[in-house]
């Protein structure tokens, strides 16, 4: 507390003592004798001012007093001391007999002893709560995020414990998210390094072979074609990484409009029909022309559809089929790409939309690619306010995503 604040508090305390003494003296005058009013007022003002001065002095030196139990005991001692002084002064002024003064003194001392013990009991409970809070916060400082602080009463300390527990929960959630982000960053760096190392190594070897003039012309042309393939793959990987980073950073400009999914799905299926025919996979569009339009960026939604259809064709055996359907939902439109392929292993399902995740079996949807197609699709869908997920399927794979309806 600052010096000015302390002085203001002292002035308020003294004003309280004077006002209370005046009221008490007036009551004495009304009940007994008006002549006793000045003496009573002077006695009460002296006792009140003296006690409050001692209390303010002690409060200003709380650091020296030590624990709360001592502070409570001092407050009780000040109150009891005032009563004892009052009894002595009243006896000296012969307002009461000596016998009565001794009796009152003994009673006050006894009451003071009981009050000290009561204060000690309350202080013990408060100190127990304070110790619980201190131990809990110390554990948090040492890294423990599982413990919870509790107190033995429903008071301000209990409220403080609740707020501290809420703070610890937020801290634990933030640390979990940070650790997850750091783990994802490390995995991303490792995956990018792996996907860059292989083509770069191949390019270096091929370039060295072509440059040494130790291969014939047909072999050189074949090497150059292989180099072009690696360069295109690297270019596609860099483009995907750049697009994913821009999507996650929110740096993409969206052109939102009413999109008729009947036309959009038809265009996507037509664009992928050559790839389907090459693998003898039938592509089917199942979208009614009366389906409500979606509010979306058609170019970005087309990218999602092409990614999903391409993955579906890649993992569907010959004579299989890929079906793209759309249906209304509550305030949204849901689009599904279903195939008759081998499906996705249960262990891979939770992570198929993570960047660079290929899974531990051929069932992983992006095993043959860089592992960014589904991650980009998820980022695009979530940027529209929708979500993308895997539907349960008796056979094959069903990937479904939602878009807000345009009404």
């Amino acid at each position: 507390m600052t010096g000015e604040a302390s002085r203001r508090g002292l002035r308020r305390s003294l004003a309280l003592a004077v006002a209370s003494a005046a009221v008490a003296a007036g009551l004495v005058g009304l009940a007994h004798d008006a002549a006793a009013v000045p003496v009573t007022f002077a006695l009460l003002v002296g006792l009140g001012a003296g006690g409050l001065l001692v209390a303010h002095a002690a409060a200003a030196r709380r650091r020296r007093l030590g624990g709360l139990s001592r502070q409570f005991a001092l407050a009780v001692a000040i109150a009891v001391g005032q009563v004892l002084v009052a009894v002595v002064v009243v006896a000296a002024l012969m307002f009461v007999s000596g016998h009565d003064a001794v009796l009152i003194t003994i009673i006050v001392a006894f009451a003071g002893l009981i009050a000290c013990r009561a204060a000690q009991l309350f202080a013990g409970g408060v100190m127990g709560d304070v110790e619980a809070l201190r131990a809990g916060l110390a554990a948090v400082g040492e890294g423990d995020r599982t413990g919870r602080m509790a107190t033995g009463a429903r008071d301000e300390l209990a409220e403080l414990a609740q707020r501290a527990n809420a703070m610890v929960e937020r801290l634990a959630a933030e640390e979990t998210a940070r650790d997850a982000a750091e783990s994802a960053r490390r995995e991303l760096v490792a995956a990018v390094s792996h996907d860059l190392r292989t083509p770069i190594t191949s390019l270096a070897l091929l370039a060295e072979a072509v440059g040494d003039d130790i291969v014939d012309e047909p072999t050189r042309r074949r090497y150059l074609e292989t180099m072009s393939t690696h360069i295109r793959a690297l270019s596609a990987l860099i483009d995907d990484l750049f697009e994913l980073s821009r999507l996650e950073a929110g740096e993409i400009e969206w052109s939102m409009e009413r999109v008729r999914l009947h036309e959009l799905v038809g265009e996507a299926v037509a664009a992928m029909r050559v790839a389907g025919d090459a693998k003898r996979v039938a592509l089917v569009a199942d979208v009614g022309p009366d389906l409500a339009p979606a509010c979306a960026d058609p170019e970005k939604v087309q990218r999602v559809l092409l990614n999903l259809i391409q993955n579906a064709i890649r993992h569907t055996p010959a004579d299989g089929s890929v079906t793209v359907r759309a249906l209304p939902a509550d305030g949204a439109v849901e689009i599904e790409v279903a195939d008759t392929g081998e499906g996705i292993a249960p262990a891979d399902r939770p992570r198929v939309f993570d960047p660079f995740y290929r899974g531990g079996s051929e069932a992983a949807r992006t095993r043959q690619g860089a592992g960014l197609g589904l991650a980009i699709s998820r980022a695009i869908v979530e940027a529209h306010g929708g979500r993308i997920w895997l539907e349960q399927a008796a056979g094959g794979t069903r990937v479904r995503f939602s878009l807000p309806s345009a009404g």
Side-chain angles (χ1 to χ4, degrees):
M1 183 181 295
T2 63
E4 180 60 29
S6 178
R7 287 189 290 272
R8 285 199 301 269
L10 179 59
R11 287 195 293 270
R12 285 196 296 269
S13 296
L14 293 177
L16 174 64
V18 172
S20 300
V23 172
L27 292 175
V28 169
L30 291 174
H32 296 287
D33 185 5
V37 170
V39 177
T40 303
F41 177 76
L43 174 62
L44 294 180
V45 167
L47 288 174
L52 289 173
L53 286 172
V54 172
H56 273 272
R61 294 169 176 79
R62 287 180 56 208
R63 187 183 300 273
R64 298 181 183 179
L65 294 177
L68 291 176
S69 58
R70 291 186 178 182
Q71 298 180 38
F72 289 155
L74 179 59
V76 173
I78 291 174
V80 173
Q82 280 190 303
V83 176
L84 291 175
V85 171
V87 170
V88 172
V89 172
V90 169
L93 295 175
M94 299 185 69
F95 289 163
V96 296
S97 66
H99 176 272
D100 292 339
V102 171
L103 180 59
I104 293 174
T105 301
I106 294 174
I107 292 174
V108 170
F110 178 78
L113 178 63
I114 299 302
C116 287
R117 178 54 183 166
Q120 186 181 26
L121 293 175
F122 281 107
V126 172
M127 287 302 299
D129 292 343
V130 171
E131 184 59 33
L133 288 172
R134 180 166 56 187
L137 292 174
V140 172
E142 294 174 358
D144 182 14
R145 302 293 182 264
T146 59
R148 289 295 176 265
M149 288 162 270
T151 60
R154 300 172 63 180
D155 53 12
E156 289 81 356
L157 289 177
E159 182 181 354
L160 178 61
Q162 292 176 355
R163 294 190 178 184
N165 288 331
M167 177 197 69
V168 174
E169 291 177 359
R170 289 195 301 270
L171 182 61
E174 291 173 359
E175 289 181 349
T176 299
R178 182 196 64 196
D179 293 342
E182 179 63 20
S183 177
R185 186 192 65 80
R186 289 195 298 267
E187 291 180 3
L188 180 63
V189 171
V192 171
S193 300
H194 177 272
D195 279 20
L196 291 176
R197 184 182 299 112
T198 300
I200 288 175
T201 301
S202 298
L203 284 172
L205 294 174
L206 292 170
E208 183 179 353
V210 172
D212 287 344
D213 295 329
I214 60 175
V215 296
D216 55 22
E217 188 60 26
T219 303
R220 179 180 289 106
R221 286 197 298 270
R222 180 163 55 86
Y223 282 2
L224 289 175
E225 291 176 359
T226 304
M227 291 172 67
S228 297
T229 300
H230 285 309
I231 290 172
R232 287 194 296 271
L234 285 173
S235 179
L237 173 61
I238 292 172
D239 289 343
D240 285 347
L241 279 171
F242 182 63
E243 182 175 9
L244 181 61
S245 65
R246 292 182 65 201
L247 284 167
E248 292 181 342
E251 298 176 355
I252 300 292
E253 293 186 3
W254 302 90
S255 178
M256 308 298 286
E257 57 186 75
R258 293 169 62 91
V259 178
R260 295 185 61 82
L261 295 175
H262 175 71
E263 299 174 357
L264 193 68
V265 170
E267 293 172 359
V269 169
M272 297 301 300
R273 196 171 297 282
V274 174
D277 293 342
K279 284 200 64 177
R280 291 189 298 163
V281 174
L283 296 184
V284 180
D286 182 14
V287 182
D290 56 345
L291 182 68
C295 180
D297 184 319
E299 180 181 349
K300 298 304 180 183
V301 175
Q302 190 75 281
R303 172 71 186 275
V304 174
L305 284 171
L306 294 177
N307 282 342
L308 297 182
I309 296 173
Q310 183 180 34
N311 278 339
I313 293 173
R314 181 182 300 157
H315 296 278
T316 301
D319 299 325
S321 64
V322 174
T323 303
V324 184
R325 59 177 60 93
L327 59 155
D330 185 16
V333 179
E334 294 182 354
I335 306 171
E336 179 181 275
V337 178
D339 63 51
T340 58
E342 66 273 21
I344 299 177
D348 295 328
R349 292 177 67 88
R351 298 193 60 191
V352 293
F353 297 103
D354 292 349
F356 287 99
Y357 187 74
R358 293 178 174 83
S361 69
E362 289 299 330
R365 307 301 291 169
T366 56
R367 186 173 179 83
Q368 297 178 14
L372 290 175
L374 292 181
I376 291 174
S377 298
R378 181 179 66 178
I380 291 174
V381 171
E382 291 180 350
H384 279 80
R387 66 185 186 97
I388 187 168
W389 69 96
L390 295 178
E391 280 284 335
Q392 293 296 328
T397 300
R398 295 167 59 193
V399 183
R400 182 175 292 192
F401 66 94
S402 64
L403 295 171
S405 176

